[in-house]
Amino acid sequence: MHKIDDNLHKVTARIAQAALTAERDPRSVRLIAVSKTQPPAALEQAYRAGQRCFGENYVQEALEKKSQLAHLSDIEWHFIGPIQSNKTRLIADHFAWVHSIDREKIARRLSEQRRTELPPLQVCIQVNIDDEATKAGVSLQELPALIKTVAELPGLQLRGLMTIPAPGDDPQQHAAAFKRLHAALMELNAMGLPGLDTLSMGMSADLEIAIANGATLVRIGTDIFGARDYSALTG
Ligand SMILES: *Cc1c(COP(=O)(O)O)cnc(C)c1O
């Protein structure tokens, strides 16, 4: 399992190098270790190597791990998967961040269900940047209306935008997608929503391209934990 330490150091070095190449401060990019399908021991290994932010896609799986790792109380949990409305209460109770808001109804429920003794849930709106038929996320056309609603919800703190570009190994295509998301964030800032400071974009294969185009949170799974085995998932 020491491989996870090595991998984490390599990914951290890639992030720093990409930031420097883009003439950005490496500290302006945060790493989310995406741990879906990975056993608690793998997360613990990453934690011991210094990792504190973890991203999970499935509520039930995340909560099981969270209870097994309760002794690691300073982990910051990020929910990055599709959100079903019957799961919003669990998400509001157990996560610090949600990256995948793409509907007003879900946003309202999360805000209502966030307990007032907790800090507001930090949220990003997921944008379907390549207008794919089957992908989650709002279109750029729908974005301003959802932004306006979410910005006013008391239980949520709107931080920015998240995207997953269309699959494909053309770096130009990913760069174009990330540029569009960056431009959308700049436009929202110019429209009088200056608190938006987050672009959640970039995965194992394209983190450098994302950082070159303004990513502030990168979500990395495979290059930290290795390939995923979905058959290990229960429920
Ligand atoms: C699984 C997942 C990742 C991690 O992808 P890798 O290619 O394994 O780095 C990032 N973001 C989201 C939304 C994911 O579902």
Side-chain angles (χ1 to χ4, degrees):
M1 244 203 314
H2 290 295
K3 193 136 182 31
I4 291 175
D5 295 40
D6 288 350
N7 289 347
L8 204 47
H9 289 132
K10 281 185 198 138
V11 166
T12 306
R14 280 171 65 193
I15 291 170
Q17 186 55 53
L20 292 174
T21 304
E23 298 183 0
R24 298 180 53 194
D25 182 344
R27 287 168 303 183
S28 68
V29 184
R30 282 215 295 160
L31 169 60
I32 317 285
V34 176
S35 44
K36 60 173 177 266
T37 77
Q38 306 298 341
L43 283 77
E44 184 142 14
Q45 183 77 26
Y47 179 94
R48 285 217 211 85
Q51 183 63 28
R52 291 294 179 275
C53 303
F54 291 86
E56 289 278 346
N57 295 57
Y58 310 103
V59 176
Q60 216 50 50
E61 186 203 352
L63 296 193
E64 279 167 31
K65 279 185 232 178
K66 199 180 173 211
S67 73
Q68 286 170 311
L69 298 171
H71 53 293
L72 310 180
S73 58
D74 61 343
I75 289 182
E76 185 177 275
W77 294 95
H78 292 238
F79 192 79
I80 63 172
I83 305 171
Q84 295 166 287
S85 54
N86 62 352
K87 295 283 166 59
T88 51
R89 184 175 298 280
L90 290 171
I91 294 172
D93 274 348
H94 290 281
F95 288 83
W97 280 73
V98 176
H99 295 226
S100 42
I101 290 184
D102 66 357
R103 286 184 283 156
E104 183 176 327
K105 177 185 169 193
I106 294 293
R108 289 194 186 283
R109 288 176 66 96
L110 287 170
S111 176
E112 280 159 19
Q113 293 167 344
R114 183 69 166 178
R115 284 182 284 122
T116 48
E117 65 268 27
L118 293 174
L121 200 53
Q122 307 296 297
V123 303
C124 293
I125 308 270
Q126 182 170 356
V127 178
N128 182 0
I129 199 73
D130 289 311
D131 288 320
E132 293 171 86
T134 57
K135 190 156 276 167
V138 288
S139 66
L140 285 177
Q141 291 70 37
E142 300 163 317
L143 181 61
L146 184 57
I147 286 278
K148 195 165 173 294
T149 303
V150 173
E152 286 167 2
L153 293 173
L156 309 184
Q157 183 170 358
L158 180 60
R159 295 297 296 272
L161 306 176
M162 179 274 230
T163 201
I164 308 169
D169 3 295
D170 179 3
Q172 304 293 352
Q173 186 201 315
H174 285 220
F178 293 145
K179 278 192 176 70
R180 286 199 294 280
L181 198 71
H182 189 205
L185 189 79
M186 295 292 104
E187 225 171 277
L188 293 169
N189 279 323
M191 276 165 50
L193 288 155
L196 307 191
D197 58 6
T198 301
L199 277 179
S200 169
M201 59 189 197
M203 311 191 344
S204 292
D206 59 11
L207 76 88
E208 283 86 358
I209 305 170
I211 290 170
N213 290 289
T216 65
L217 295 182
V218 291
R219 309 178 309 267
I220 311 300
T222 309
D223 284 0
I224 295 173
F225 297 110
R228 285 182 284 276
D229 177 4
Y230 285 91
S231 69
L233 271 191
T234 53

